């Protein structure tokens, strides 16, 4: 079992850290908010006053932060990489641009630490249930060494390559589909409303037909609520579809559906609703259609 | 058990007619091709020389044709409606515009026959397995009377309303999602190829993650083949997304994802590939991206 420094105890990170605790790892958490650190301690973990303090006694420094800029801030500006014992492993599970992940990995390795690119998919529900998909890129030896930690977090592990950035690349493709499927569900349910079909009935039928998607069944019911619980915010997809389009620009690939879907998340955020549940991208459609 | 005249023994109609036979109904089939009629006879059904001849001894005239124009041709120009005994039921399972369905229903009822709007979803796989979703709009009394026939065809029955066109409206919303999901899967797998991710590995991961859709799992594997078996043709979605956009125009609803997806099916058909499997919409993306 490993000593894990877990940075970023948000909607995804908190249940991931709790699962690591349950599977026997020692977890020291750090977050900018005190509340999740107290919850981690109550569950048997430890908390510290900084990411660097957490890293200083860890085998594995796990980063479930919002983006690559936060990962850099923690590792380089915040001193966590220097604090991590030599040979320690930086495990980056946040969704970041593949090129950025490769660059961070190079800087980590230049300082004598090791790096694992391991983004996850499955949302907060998957994080809680321990059924996340993990797309892991690192050497075979490091993968084997880290398997107990990876299994402590995820339900479905995929060793997708040896090079940092290969996990991030699959995650980008994953987010393309997730973002487009949420917007498509909104477009469909808004059309149902506009043509006089009961959207709840439509959702019941579509959710069990060839029209179904994981997102339709997960986000669809919340699209029918005016102020649903926030399980993942609009601004997360503003960011993630932004990463998708950035990867498309980098590779010179046309992504017209992803670009269109992005506009709806952007406009929802631009109306001041970026912290609403991402199902509320349907508001943009209702506004357009006068529903 | 009913005497059913079944018009249109194609990729969807043939297995639906066979399921009706298996559940004890008497089925007389008609199709412009002789081969499926021979197959129906071999399975215990009957065949005739025209749709009108099939209708003349039927309780239920079932139309699994390509579009509303074909339904009109069979019913009105081809004389099947006149041949159907008074009080007989026209059951339209083809995907048609809601406004057209309502208009056909009015003409059928003016001639003393009854009408059921009952489009289906689930593809050829669902048709074979008897697991189609049926979106049925008709009076409560007629629904109850026809239940044995409906159950002989579909696995999931939804009585969605009393008025002809209400089933078609839900089917339009269904097809919006189906068409967008196929194009989104193509966009995602083409991006994977472009950024150097193995698309088969990406498909394995995405198919079990929050990125999954029924279409990704059904069409995705065929997107990785150059000349896959045709289970549903590109031109079907040229038509069906056309119906979606027509419904959007009628209701003055903006459907940007459906409109974008339609362009890819159109361009694939425009290159002479309209009869290819609809998974091959990915060719348009590969062409665009120089894959």
């Amino acid at each position: 079992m490993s000593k894990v420094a877990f940075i970023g105890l948000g909607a995804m990170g908190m249940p991931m850290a709790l699962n690591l605790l349950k599977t026997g790892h020692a977890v020291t958490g750090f977050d900018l908010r005190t509340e999740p650190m107290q919850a981690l301690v109550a569950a048997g973990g430890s908390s510290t006053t900084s990411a660097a303090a957490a890293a200083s006694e860890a085998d594995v420094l796990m980063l479930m932060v919002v983006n690559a800029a936060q990962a850099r801030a923690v590792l380089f500006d915040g001193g966590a990489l220097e604090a991590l014992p030599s040979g320690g492993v930086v495990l980056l599970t946040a969704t970041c641009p593949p090129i950025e992940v490769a660059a961070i990995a190079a800087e980590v390795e230049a300082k004598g630490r090791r790096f694992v690119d391991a983004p996850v998919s499955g949302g907060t529900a998957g994080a809680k249930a321990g059924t996340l998909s993990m797309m892991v890129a690192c050497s075979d030896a490091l993968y084997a060494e880290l398997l107990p930690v990876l299994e402590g977090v995820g339900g479905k592990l995929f060793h997708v390559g040896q090079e940092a950035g290969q996990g991030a690349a699959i995650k980008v493709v994953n987010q393309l589909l997730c973002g487009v499927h949420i917007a498509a569900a909104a477009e469909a349910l808004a059309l149902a409303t506009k043509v006089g079909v009961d959207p709840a009935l439509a959702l019941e039928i579509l959710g069990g037909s060839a029209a179904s998607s994981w997102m339709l069944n997960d986000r669809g019911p919340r699209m029918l609520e005016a102020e649903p619980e926030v399980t993942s915010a609009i601004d997360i997809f503003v960011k993630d579809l932004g990463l998708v389009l950035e990867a498309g620009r980098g590779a010179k690939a046309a992504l017209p559906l992803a670009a269109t879907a992005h506009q709806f998340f952007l406009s929802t955020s631009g109306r001041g609703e970026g912290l609403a549940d991402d199902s509320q991208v349907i508001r943009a459609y209702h506004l357009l259609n006068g529903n």
Side-chain angles (χ1 to χ4, degrees), chain A:
Chain A
M1 296 296 105
S2 296
K3 288 184 281 181
V4 179
F6 201 109
I7 314 302
L9 301 167
M12 292 293 295
M14 189 69 204
M16 291 165 69
L18 292 176
N19 281 333
L20 280 170
L21 274 177
K22 277 182 211 151
T23 49
H25 300 281
V27 180
T28 301
F30 180 72
D31 194 279
L32 295 176
R33 299 162 303 145
T34 55
E35 194 184 60
M37 286 201 283
Q38 289 165 351
L40 186 69
V41 170
S46 310
S47 69
T48 56
T49 53
S50 73
S56 65
E57 297 190 351
D59 310 315
V60 178
L61 170 60
M62 199 153 165
L63 300 174
M64 186 72 232
V65 292
V66 168
N67 54 28
Q70 281 195 7
R72 285 188 168 279
V74 168
L75 283 172
F76 307 128
D77 309 336
L81 184 63
E82 290 283 355
L84 185 69
S86 183
V89 176
V90 173
L91 186 69
L92 179 60
T93 57
T95 299
C96 302
I99 289 171
E100 271 290 292
V101 171
I104 293 171
E107 292 187 54
V108 165
E109 287 162 1
K111 296 283 187 184
R113 279 75 173 185
R114 296 178 292 165
F115 185 88
V116 178
D117 168 23
V120 297
S121 176
T124 53
K128 284 177 187 162
T131 59
L132 291 174
S133 296
M134 295 192 88
M135 294 148 254
V136 187
C138 65
S139 72
D140 291 335
L142 187 48
Y143 184 82
E145 181 183 330
L146 271 191
L147 207 51
V149 170
L150 299 171
E151 289 178 337
V153 172
K156 284 174 275 186
L157 299 179
F158 297 94
H159 187 196
V160 300
Q162 309 283 317
E163 305 292 333
Q166 290 178 303
I170 293 196
K171 180 66 196 281
V172 157
V173 179
N174 189 84
Q175 293 312 87
L176 184 160
L177 286 171
C178 290
V180 171
H181 289 169
I182 295 173
E187 187 166 305
L189 293 175
L191 176 63
T193 303
K194 189 70 177 175
V195 299
V197 167
D198 174 7
L201 175 65
L203 187 56
E204 182 190 350
I205 297 172
L206 306 179
S209 85
S212 69
S213 69
W214 193 96
M215 283 295 178
L216 179 71
N217 287 318
D218 188 77
R219 302 314 206 259
R222 295 207 294 285
M223 288 186 187
L224 307 188
E225 298 176 35
E227 295 289 349
E229 184 192 356
V230 179
T231 64
S232 184
I234 287 284
D235 279 344
I236 297 291
F237 269 102
V238 168
K239 171 183 80 79
D240 282 6
L241 281 171
L243 292 186
V244 170
L245 296 173
E246 195 179 306
R249 276 197 300 276
K252 300 279 199 297
L255 303 173
L257 291 171
T260 303
H262 196 212
Q263 305 306 308
F264 285 85
F265 289 99
L266 280 174
S267 80
T268 307
S269 182
R271 291 193 312 279
E273 299 173 1
L275 299 181
D277 188 66
D278 60 21
S279 62
Q280 297 307 301
V281 76
I282 197 171
R283 292 177 191 171
Y285 280 96
H286 286 325
L287 274 174
L288 277 179
N289 293 342
N291 284 340

